[in-house]
Amino acid sequence: IDNARKRDLVNFRQVKVEKLRYAMAPDAVDIERVGIEEPYARVIVTEDRLLNIAMVLDPKGTAAELEARRAAAAAEAKLTAAEKRQREREQKAAEKAAAKARKAGKAEAPPELAPLPEEGLPIRIGEVRVANGTMDFTDLWVQPNFSAKIQKLGGTITGLSSDPRAHAPIDL
């Protein structure tokens, strides 16, 4: 339940976990498959471009992100007109260089990933199967605001991992 709105945030009819393996020393969890039947999520992008689910799962992280954005906006507001023009020129030059590199077939280097934490439990899920899902999506950041109800959502997510270097293909 979303405490602020007193409405469902996330729920489901059934979750099945197949072939769960837990290892100790070193600790690890490996799950072959998770099946989720009739999942529901209310996803809201706030006026501040924050995701409601992120605010629930990581309230400290989203509060820090919001504070960083506010600090950047305050710093931007202190710039002189000449400094703003210089920043715009630098941004345009960087965008042109990136476009030129893409056109030449040179891929940009991926951003550096944070190292894995020393503590914590490594988790890997081979496949998540979603069947007959529903999602209420609202974006309050775009103008005019946008809402949509997604029904009969189904598909798979493969290769989920707590490793930040992992990529999980999504086919929903």
Side-chain angles (χ1 to χ4, degrees), residues 9-121:
L9 177 65
V10 175
N11 66 39
F12 46 84
R13 186 174 72 75
Q14 183 176 47
V15 172
K16 294 179 185 178
V17 176
E18 297 178 26
K19 296 188 180 177
L20 175 117
R21 290 181 288 286
Y22 170 72
M24 292 178 59
D27 292 344
V29 171
D30 189 66
I31 300 170
E32 185 173 302
R33 183 173 299 110
V34 175
I36 306 172
E37 293 183 27
E38 297 180 23
Y40 168 80
R42 178 177 312 283
V43 179
I44 300 171
V45 178
T46 69
E47 297 88 349
D48 296 321
R49 293 181 297 156
L50 297 174
L51 209 57
N52 65 325
I53 293 175
M55 294 184 323
V56 169
L57 296 177
D58 185 12
K60 290 180 183 175
T62 51
E65 172 68 22
L66 185 56
E67 183 58 36
R69 288 180 191 172
R70 288 180 179 154
E76 178 77 20
K78 291 180 181 179
L79 293 176
T80 66
E83 290 170 326
K84 288 179 183 178
R85 285 191 301 273
Q86 177 62 29
R87 178 178 282 178
E88 287 175 12
R89 283 192 295 271
E90 290 170 356
Q91 287 174 340
K92 285 181 182 177
E95 289 170 6
K96 279 185 179 181
K100 188 175 182 180
R102 280 192 300 274
K103 192 173 184 179
K106 297 178 185 175
E108 295 179 33
E112 283 294 316
L113 295 171
L116 287 173
E118 293 294 323
E119 71 285 342
L121 179 65

